[in-house]
Amino acid sequence: MPVQPSPSLPDTTPPDRVRDVATHAVAEEQQHLDAALARRAELLAELDAQLAAPADDVADRVPAAGPVGAETVVERARRAGLRRRRTELERAGSGLVFGRLDTVEGVTRRVGRVGIAAPDGDADPLVLDWRADGARAFYTATAREPQGLARRRHVRTTGERVTGVDDEPLDGSGSGAGDEDGLVGEGALLAALSERRTGRMGTAVATLQVEQDAIVRAPAEQTLVVQGGPGTGKTVVALHRVAYLLFTHPHLAERGVLLLGPSSRFLEYVAQVLPALGETAVVSATCDTLVPGVAPERDEGRDVAEIKGRALWHDVVARYADALVPDARDLTVRLDGEPLTLDAARVAEVLRAARAGGRSVLAARGRAVDLLLDALVDEAAARHAELLARVEEGFEDVLGKLDAGLAARDDRAPTTGARGSDVDGELTEDDLDRLRDDLARDAGFAAAVDAWWPVVDARAALADLLGDAALLARHAPDLTAAEVRRVTSEPASLAPSDVPLLDALADALGAADAPGEQGEFLAQRAAARRDWVYGHVVVDEAQELSPLQWHMVLRRCPTRSVTAVGDVDQTEAPHRHTDWADAVGPVLGDRWRRADLTICYRTPREVMALVGPVLRAAGSRNDPPRAVRDAGVEPRDVVVPGGAPGRLGETVAAEVARLAARYDGGTVGVVAPLARLAALRAAVRDVPVLVTSEAKGLEWDAVVVVDPDGVAAEPRGWNGLYVAMTRCTQELVRVAVGERARSA
């Protein structure tokens, strides 16, 4: 679609006139940007003044958790909102304005990273926040459905300087060619896609497309699974969705958002996107780092990882945790040398009451201790009353005889008038409270409880389960004998598949005391708590998660407000699923819905034309995404003789050097099978050399795929080859070993 500096200029307009109009348009947008930046500075100063002012002195103060002092809940929330707004404004200096909407009624609005109110509160904002409903037409209006717009303008900036504009007429005066490709703002989009890769993901807030915008703004109440092939913008959509949800539903910021990525390299790659969008209420982690203080200590075989990732372990862990609750039996405690005994029936009552309400094992233990103290005090009081009754009964006999003797000697027949119930010695409530306190502090009581119901360490308990074939077979009857042997033959140190198992067991065991309120969200605070409940969870490369890892996700977001993005055709994990129903059904059932991204923006047509046979070999049930751009460079195939191993490293290094020179200022990546990694890393410097699982989610201007047949021969290797071939934005080189490879 032609991109013009003005919707009113015909194709025959003289070049000088076009330049004049473009210059005027840039100057016009620069003037507005200057005004918006000046107003932004005023707003920052106002926020600084408000944050520097002392908190309002009100009567209903409550102690705050932390060094801030005593503030009301309302005041703390107000100041948190001010800090959040200040961070938004501070980080929006670059690219503050990126769009303009002109309606058919002559109304003009600018769209940008954050909203900037006009000095006159009743006037239209200087900048409309891209997440606001009024800005949606910027992403969804087309010439066929203009939504009341006459023109959409994309404003290109560098720092605080406007460098150009791209205008799209939406009133029928343009060609509307972009509608055929399903693109909005085609000129700005393709210009952004053609830029050199920097090794860090940038925002796409100025170029989101229609199908992407629909996912960004989808309701948050249900798990949304987004299927998208390479280059469809899955990650960009997920991150912008976080920013949109936090803007639209501010209460989510009180609990924060968890971003679960496939690797630490990936999290570094996307690290600046959300802060650039003004969002800081996010904790980033991988499944391996999600449990505080726990990390894998060794690798493991794919077969055992598949076994230990199955959904059945959720029930296995629950049964095992239940088995750690002691049986009911007589329990004896000595107090002041005297034994107090609760019989098995009374202990059974304590156990039933302690486990009521679905308490975790350790929470039930804490409740059981309280109930045991009550029961033992009752037992002590009953024994005291029994002894007192015996004393009183004997004392009444003595008094009766004394009264009879006195009567025989005295005509007036005097009597003592005493009764057993008048004898002092009954336990008061204070006596019972003191007795309970004495028992609670008594070392003998603590030792008896520990012997009956020892406190279990989750990691030690997991090691017991996974190291004892008989114990595992008892609690995991669905595993075959061979699978039990395979699991129990593993070393005791933690493997990646043990992390979700440990998380599940720690959750079932729980804490001795129920956790308190979460308090104000702080990323460090949330990341340090295994039991933090988030407002929303985003899972990237979600097809790689095992069912047990999905349970990890839901424990952290019981509301199931989850956005999961991925591509089942890029699955490399050992789990057996080949479609989304298999991937999420064992845990989510039917409580999820699917959305699809169908357009490939990153990978050029020349490369996507090669992936069909690879997808078919991988057993794909999906059509590959439709590429919308040409790179103008055909993929190259290079063959290195199989009998010259040293030549491979030299050839790859030469190709990398050629591509680095061609894409100066951009990036080059090398993807290879694991067996060739060490040799290639020794031969190739200054560019990443990765296996396919490490390359997933990343992109480079140019990619060298080494030994495609070797990649395809790895477990789920055709899926891995699909990943490797689709990492480039411009050029692909395949270096085969030996005769021309089948995949080449």
Side-chain angles (χ1 to χ4, degrees), residues 25-238:
V26 169
E28 182 183 21
E29 297 308 326
Q30 184 68 61
Q31 182 180 12
H32 190 86
L33 177 59
D34 290 343
L37 288 168
R39 177 59 177 153
R40 167 180 167 269
E42 292 175 0
L43 293 172
L44 283 170
E46 291 174 8
L47 288 167
D48 286 339
Q50 292 181 65
L51 288 168
D56 293 337
D57 189 11
V58 292
D60 57 340
R61 291 183 181 275
V62 296
V68 186
E71 293 181 344
T72 65
V73 174
V74 173
E75 177 64 13
R76 290 203 302 273
R78 184 186 74 84
R79 296 177 75 84
L82 293 176
R83 289 191 295 269
R84 178 180 170 84
R85 174 60 174 163
R86 195 198 185 288
T87 301
E88 273 194 332
L89 287 171
E90 185 177 32
R91 292 179 173 172
S94 178
L96 176 61
V97 178
F98 56 74
R100 167 174 162 167
L101 300 174
D102 294 312
T103 71
V104 292
E105 290 88 5
V107 177
T108 296
R109 297 187 181 91
R110 264 75 175 193
V111 179
R113 293 187 184 278
V114 297
I116 302 291
D120 179 359
D122 295 330
D124 289 338
L126 291 177
V127 183
L128 188 62
D129 194 299
W130 70 273
R131 296 163 290 189
D133 288 341
R136 186 166 194 180
F138 182 78
Y139 301 103
T140 59
T142 65
R144 289 194 179 93
E145 297 183 19
Q147 301 177 36
L149 297 183
R151 176 178 65 177
R152 171 176 41 231
R153 169 175 287 176
H154 289 263
V155 180
R156 301 193 304 276
T157 61
T158 300
E160 297 183 356
R161 186 170 61 89
V162 176
T163 58
V165 299
D166 295 305
D167 281 347
E168 286 182 275
L170 300 173
D171 58 359
S173 61
S175 67
D179 288 0
E180 298 173 6
D181 287 333
L183 301 183
V184 168
E186 182 180 15
L189 172 65
L190 297 183
L193 294 174
S194 298
E195 292 176 352
R196 293 287 183 261
R197 304 299 104 176
T198 65
R200 291 292 186 94
M201 176 174 283
T203 71
V205 66
T207 56
L208 286 175
Q209 297 298 296
V210 175
E211 66 177 12
Q212 295 175 325
D213 182 78
I215 292 169
V216 167
R217 300 175 192 264
E221 292 77 21
Q222 187 180 19
T223 298
L224 178 66
V225 175
V226 180
Q227 161 63 29
T232 54
K234 300 181 293 295
T235 299
V236 164
V237 166

Side-chain angles (χ1 to χ4, degrees), residues 714-736:
E714 293 180 319
R716 299 199 79 152
W718 290 105
N719 302 83
L721 186 57
Y722 181 50
V723 172
M725 290 175 60
T726 54
R727 296 304 94 197
C728 67
T729 65
Q730 303 296 333
E731 186 172 352
L732 171 67
V733 176
R734 295 180 292 181
V735 179

Side-chain angles (χ1 to χ4, degrees), residues 671-691:
V671 186
L674 179 62
R676 299 195 183 276
L677 213 59
L680 288 172
R681 284 177 174 170
V684 178
R685 305 291 183 181
D686 301 324
V687 302
V689 180
L690 309 174
V691 294

Side-chain angles (χ1 to χ4, degrees), residues 309-322:
R310 296 176 191 171
L312 64 89
W313 287 90
H314 185 66
D315 293 332
V316 171
V317 167
R319 285 193 292 268
Y320 178 50
D322 282 340

